[in-house]
Amino acid sequence: MKNDHLNTVVKLLSAFLVISLATIVATVLMRHNPTLVTTAVWIRTPLVAASAAILLVLARRAATGHRGSFRRLRIISPVVLTAIIVVVAWPGAFPVWLRVEQAVCGVFLLSVVVRTNLRGVGSSLEAGSEHSATTPATRR
């Protein structure tokens, strides 16, 4: 079944991953400037890219009807969004350029959280798509 919200979520998370990977490249290019690339930046950027990749995998699986992936997407995406909000709001912990980048990613992720929690999005997934042994005819 086609689910436009989940297809949009895949696109949003693809953009989130691209931005996150570009941020790692920017970090490497600016590595000689300790005011722009702090230890916190070196730690944060790969973690954000990894979370973006995981969320994208979950979204792609959810878009194909996998209920477990959809459930995980709905649990993990608000956690990642909360971490992004902390980075953006925590004065002095991260350079301004990274806080701006994280704010942009936060907008994408906020849209993901909203879209995955809309009424009917999860119910449109095919029942039993987690490879259960029962068929729809045997479930009551």
Side-chain angles (χ1 to χ4, degrees):
M1 168 181 262
K2 183 179 177 191
N3 189 319
D4 289 336
H5 286 294
L6 288 178
N7 291 332
T8 301
V9 164
V10 168
K11 291 174 186 171
L12 289 165
L13 290 173
S14 296
F16 178 33
L17 179 58
V18 167
I19 292 169
S20 298
L21 293 174
T23 302
I24 291 174
V25 171
T27 299
V28 170
L29 293 174
M30 296 185 297
R31 69 186 175 274
H32 298 297
N33 188 334
T35 57
L36 294 178
V37 180
T38 63
T39 301
V41 171
W42 280 112
I43 294 168
R44 175 84 185 150
T45 54
L47 291 175
V48 172
S51 66
I54 290 167
L55 288 171
L56 180 57
V57 167
L58 292 173
R60 284 184 175 159
R61 291 187 71 201
T64 64
H66 193 268
R67 292 181 75 69
S69 293
F70 179 71
R71 189 171 39 253
R72 288 175 189 92
L73 179 63
R74 286 186 65 200
I75 292 168
I76 297 170
S77 58
V79 173
V80 175
L81 177 60
T82 301
I84 287 172
I85 291 169
V86 168
V87 167
V88 172
W90 192 351
F94 296 93
V96 173
W97 74 269
L98 185 71
R99 292 171 64 196
V100 170
E101 179 269 345
Q102 288 289 276
V104 170
C105 289
V107 170
F108 285 106
L109 209 48
L110 177 61
S111 183
V112 167
V113 170
V114 168
R115 287 175 184 278
T116 55
N117 285 287
L118 290 173
R119 178 169 287 157
V121 174
S123 63
S124 69
L125 298 178
E126 295 178 21
S129 62
E130 291 185 67
H131 312 290
S132 66
T134 60
T135 61
T138 60
R139 279 190 222 120
R140 301 209 194 270

